[in-house]
Amino acid sequence: MVNLWQKGIIYKVTMLILNKTARVFSKPSKRKIYEYLRSINFHPGKVFLHKLVLGIETSCDDTAAAVVDESGNVLGEAIHSQTEVHLKTGGIIPPVAQQLHRENIQRIVQEALSVSKVSPSELTAIATTIKPGLALSLGVGLSFSLQLVDKFKKPFIPIHHMEAHALTIRLTNKVEFPFLVLLISGGHCLLALVRGVSDFLLLGKSLDIAPGDMLDKVARRLSLIKHPECSNMSGGKAIEHLAKQGNRLHFDFTPPMQRAKNCDFSFTGLQHVIDKTIMQKEKEEGVEKGQILSSAADIAAAVQHTTACHIAKRTHRAILFCKQRDLLSQSNAVLVVSGGVASNLYIRKALEIVTNATQCTLLCPPPRLCTDNGIMIAWNGIERLRAGLGILYDTEGIRYEPKCPLGVDITEEVGKAAIKVPRLKMKI
């Protein structure tokens, strides 16, 4: 608490600032000044003038936490990645992910708070991912968060994982609504128009698996974990790395859904075609399954290029649809690309070709904010606090939701518009 001497000092300083900078306004009453002072968390050596949110993320295989203030300053963060464990098992096994979250969440949250020099009692609210994601993983984050909320009597802000990814760009760049967002990761793939903090129009989504999931499966089928340069990389990173050494023209994979004039995505069919190609090459080279093909780099390059072209074309149509319906500015529209796959520089370059052709600005959060993290969850909490949306003071009945759509689905309307996309040369 602030004692009378401390309040006196702050009162004098506050009055001095007000007198110096705002003489044209009437002098505020002592009551208003003291109300303002009571809204400040005061401790010797630190004064928090801003809202402070603790963000907790456990939707998949990363245990993450961060403290962010309303100006977007990241005061502290911590993350525990499970990547190495899941690389050894050939994919994410939900019960294993759950156990690792349980083992690390208390340490990670404490580390984020410790680095930020913020105690739980000084927080304005606690924000946590509760949808969508792996059920067992979401449950760990929600359970731990509700214990904190109950213990320290703080408001709780449930977070939609994809909303957090979409709004991250507003932490790093000055981006006004509306803007178009492409979210591409190992678990998600969608295009949406962002009209407000919780106001989304869903334009397109994957009809089966996500691009990151497909790239991971191709990397496993190519046994890239046995490649000396890729042994410690995730599947997607291994494909991107090896593709730089390959010639994409040695294999011809057709981008999916060429005839469908909508903004939906599909990757399962492409994956099956790639699997058949790999099997055929193994026979030709006399290589057993599990050994590395001499043509692995060429296959990686072709897979990456085809994936980039598919994503770029659907995004191109979404931009044209939004401009046709005056949902985006004709001259200074913004496309935001986020999610783990957004860190793939080849795919980014394909999207740059699209934004250059449509007079749009392409923006991506820094790579470390594209993958799952606690910062984006805390920032989403700040955005919701500002807007007064979804702040819970009673958490009874709150549940995690493994599957949860984002915003209002207008994909059918987009399909009916049947917008023809001009052919672009994808010289990357």
Side-chain angles (χ1 to χ4, degrees), residues 92-199:
I92 298 171
I93 300 173
V96 174
Q98 179 190 45
Q99 183 58 33
L100 290 170
H101 282 308
R102 282 175 174 163
E103 291 173 5
N104 290 285
I105 189 165
Q106 184 170 350
R107 175 180 63 84
I108 290 298
V109 170
Q110 184 55 52
E111 190 177 319
L113 289 168
S114 179
V115 172
S116 69
K117 294 181 173 58
V118 172
S119 70
S121 61
E122 293 163 343
L123 294 168
T124 308
I126 296 170
T128 303
T129 306
I130 69 159
K131 57 187 176 183
L134 299 177
L136 296 178
S137 294
L138 288 168
V140 176
L142 178 58
S143 176
F144 186 85
S145 299
L146 293 183
Q147 289 175 37
L148 286 180
V149 165
D150 183 59
K151 182 177 180 180
F152 296 100
K153 309 303 178 192
K154 297 296 177 182
F156 182 62
I157 306 176
I159 299 295
H160 191 298
H161 186 75
M162 305 315 289
E163 178 179 299
H165 270 305
L167 297 178
T168 301
I169 198 67
R170 284 167 51 86
L171 171 69
T172 59
N173 299 69
K174 190 175 181 180
V175 179
E176 301 296 332
F177 300 119
F179 60 88
L180 183 65
V181 68
L182 168 67
L183 300 177
I184 41 177
S185 67
H188 306 278
C189 183
L190 62 84
L191 277 160
L193 182 72
V194 189
R195 301 190 298 184
V197 171
S198 65
D199 185 1

Side-chain angles (χ1 to χ4, degrees), residues 81 120 146 258 277 336 400:
S81 175
L146 293 183
Q258 292 285 70
T277 301
V336 172
Y400 57 80

